[in-house]
Amino acid sequence: MLKQQLNLKLSQKLSPQQIQLMKLIQLPTQAFEQRVKEELEENPALEDGKNEVEDDYDADLSNENAEDDDFGNESIETEIDVDEYLSDDEIPNYRLQANNYSADDEEKSVPYASGTSFTQYLKTQLSTLRFTETEQEIADFLVGSIDESGYLRRELQDVVDDLAFTQNVYTDEKSVESVLEKVQELDPAGVGARSLQECLLLQLDRKEPTKGVQLATDILDRSFDLFSKKHYKKLLSRHDISEDELREAIEVIEHLNPKPGGSYSGNTRMVEHVIPDFTIKIVDGELELTLNGRNAPQMHVSRDYSDMLKGYKESKEKTKDQKDAVMFIKQKLDSAKWFIEAIKQRQQTLMVTMSSIMNYQKEYFLTGDERNLRPMILKDIADEIGMDVSTVSRVANSKYVDTPYGTKLIKEFFSESMKNDQGEDVSTREIKKILEMSIEEENKRKPLTDEKLAKVLKDKGYPIARRTVAKYREQLDIPVARLRKEI
C-alpha cells in the first residue's frame, strides 16, 4: 500500500535585531542596565543623556539615502511589533526560570561574592594541626571531599581506594577514620559528619554539658529514629523522663545547625540581588504603578558621528575609502537608533502588561490579602492587552514588583481556578492560603491529618479531595501531621 504524506513546516528566521528585542523584554532591571552599558561600550554612535540630535540624524539619513544609492544601505525598521517575533510555542524552558539567565547570555556581568571559599577556610585551619606527611595528604583529601553543607558523603573504603588511585597514598579505613576525627574538630562544629545524627552529636559534644545537653545527646545517640519521627510518647518511656525534660532537650537540638557549611557555601555561589522592576503604591485609595527609572535610560545618537555623515555629504569628491567609512558610520548610527527605539518598545510592553495585571488583581493590591487573588492565567492578560501569551510570560517570569506587602515575583499572581460550593471560580492561591492558615491555627499536640484538613476546607466552602490537600500542602513545603507535632 502506497502511503502519501505531506509535512508542512513553517520556519521563521529572526534577524539579530529581532532577537535583541526579545532579550531586552525578558531582562530584569539589573541585567537590562548591564546590557545598556555593554551597548554603550560597543557602539560609539550611541551616547547616554537627553536626545539632542536624533531628529537631525533622521533628516540627514533620509536625504543621504535619496541622493546616494551606491551604498545599497537597508534602513532598519524602528517601529517594531513585539508580538510579531514572539509566538506562544517558542518559550524555551530556561526562559521560564525566575532568574532569566541562559547559557548564551553574557556571563561576564554575573556578580560573584568575594571572600574565602568553604574548602579554603577548612584547609587554612588544617595548617594549625600536627600531621605526618601521609596524614596531611589524607586530611587534604578529606577536606576536599566535604560538600557545601559540611558533610562527608562517601564511604571510608571509597576514600581509601581514591587515595591509592589518585594520590598514590596507600592507607586503610582505620587510619582515614583517625584523621577524619581530627578534621571533625575544625570549625564550624559538625563539619565532616557522615550523617545528620553524627553532625548533631558533634555539635553537642562542644557544648557545656548541662542537663538538657546531656539528655539531648542521649536521645540522639540511642533514639535518633524515634526523635526524627517525633514519637514523643516512646521517647518519654524509653528515657524515663518528663514532658518538661523532653521539651528542654528538643529546644537544645532545635538550636543546632543541620548544615554547618551552609553559612560559608554562599561565598562560592552566584549572588543574586532582586531589584523591583515596578512599584505599586496606594495613593488616595487608588493604585499607582511606576516603572523603575533604571529601565528608562535617556539615550541619543552621537553628534560627532552625525557630523561625520554631514561632512561626507557636503564633500565634492567622494573616494572609495570615504564611502567605506560612511557605510560604517551609517551602520553604527542605524544600530544606535534601533537600540533607542527597542528600549522604548520594552518600556511600553512592560508598563502595558503590568498595568493590566494590576487592574486584574486590584482587590489584592488594595488589601494584601491573598484570598482576594482572582484566578488568572497568561491568556487572560494577553487577550486584554492584545499581545501574544509568550510576551506576558516573558514579563511575568522574570520581573519583580514592589508592593505595600513586599517585593513579589509577578508570576506569583497567576493561578488556576477551582469551583467553590457556590459554583464560583476561586483561585488555587486562595485555597492554599486558607489551608496554610488552618494549619497555623491547629493544635500542635494533635495536628490535622490531610483527611481532616479536607473536611475543614469543605466546611469553609471549598470541597476538595484529600489527595488535592496533600498536593497543596507539599507545594507549600509543609510536612505531614506527624512531623508537625509538638510536645
Side-chain angles (χ1 to χ4, degrees), residues 431-447:
I431 297 174
K432 287 180 185 178
K433 185 63 180 178
I434 292 171
L435 173 63
E436 193 174 20
M437 291 171 65
S438 299
I439 291 173
E440 287 176 1
E441 295 168 359
E442 71 185 359
N443 179 356
K444 294 303 179 184
R445 295 179 70 94
K446 294 182 179 179

Side-chain angles (χ1 to χ4, degrees), residues 118 122 233 243 322 359 431 474:
F118 184 43
L122 295 176
K233 288 183 179 179
E243 286 192 0
Q322 285 178 315
N359 292 327
I431 297 174
E474 289 171 0

Side-chain angles (χ1 to χ4, degrees), residues 216-259:
T217 301
D218 189 41
I219 288 172
L220 292 180
D221 187 36
R222 296 198 294 128
S223 310
F224 182 76
D225 193 51
L226 291 179
F227 172 77
S228 62
K229 294 178 179 177
K230 295 196 174 184
H231 291 317
Y232 294 141
K233 288 183 179 179
K234 292 181 180 179
L235 288 173
L236 293 172
S237 176
R238 175 180 287 191
H239 295 268
D240 192 22
I241 53 178
S242 67
E243 286 192 0
D244 286 341
E245 288 174 319
L246 178 57
R247 192 176 292 111
E248 183 182 356
I250 290 172
E251 187 175 353
V252 170
I253 295 171
E254 286 178 342
H255 281 81
L256 302 177
N257 186 356
K259 293 184 178 181

Side-chain angles (χ1 to χ4, degrees), residues 410-445:
I410 294 169
K411 72 175 181 181
E412 293 178 1
F413 303 125
F414 290 83
S415 64
E416 300 290 338
S417 65
M418 291 186 70
K419 300 280 185 185
N420 62 12
D421 58 357
Q422 304 296 317
E424 301 169 333
D425 283 334
V426 294
S427 168
T428 52
R429 285 291 301 276
E430 177 183 337
I431 297 174
K432 287 180 185 178
K433 185 63 180 178
I434 292 171
L435 173 63
E436 193 174 20
M437 291 171 65
S438 299
I439 291 173
E440 287 176 1
E441 295 168 359
E442 71 185 359
N443 179 356
K444 294 303 179 184
R445 295 179 70 94

Side-chain angles (χ1 to χ4, degrees), residues 77 80 86 116 129 142 167 173 184 211 271-272 303 343 359 381 413 458:
E77 184 72 26
I80 299 171
L86 308 175
T116 306
L129 302 178
L142 287 172
Q167 309 295 318
E173 282 190 52
Q184 290 174 343
K211 188 176 180 180
V271 176
E272 190 173 19
R303 179 176 293 279
I343 287 176
N359 292 327
I381 300 302
F413 303 125
K458 184 177 181 181

Side-chain angles (χ1 to χ4, degrees), residues 319-364:
T319 67
K320 184 178 184 301
D321 287 343
Q322 285 178 315
K323 288 185 179 182
D324 290 341
V326 87
M327 274 297 297
F328 173 80
I329 293 170
K330 290 172 76 173
Q331 180 187 9
K332 292 298 182 183
L333 287 170
D334 276 336
S335 179
K337 177 99 172 95
W338 186 90
F339 192 75
I340 292 168
E341 291 299 325
I343 287 176
K344 292 178 182 177
Q345 290 275 347
R346 178 181 182 275
Q347 294 169 15
Q348 293 168 2
T349 302
L350 296 187
M351 282 300 290
V352 167
T353 305
M354 189 63 223
S355 180
S356 177
I357 293 171
M358 181 184 73
N359 292 327
Y360 202 97
Q361 300 290 4
K362 184 175 182 179
E363 193 173 351
Y364 163 75

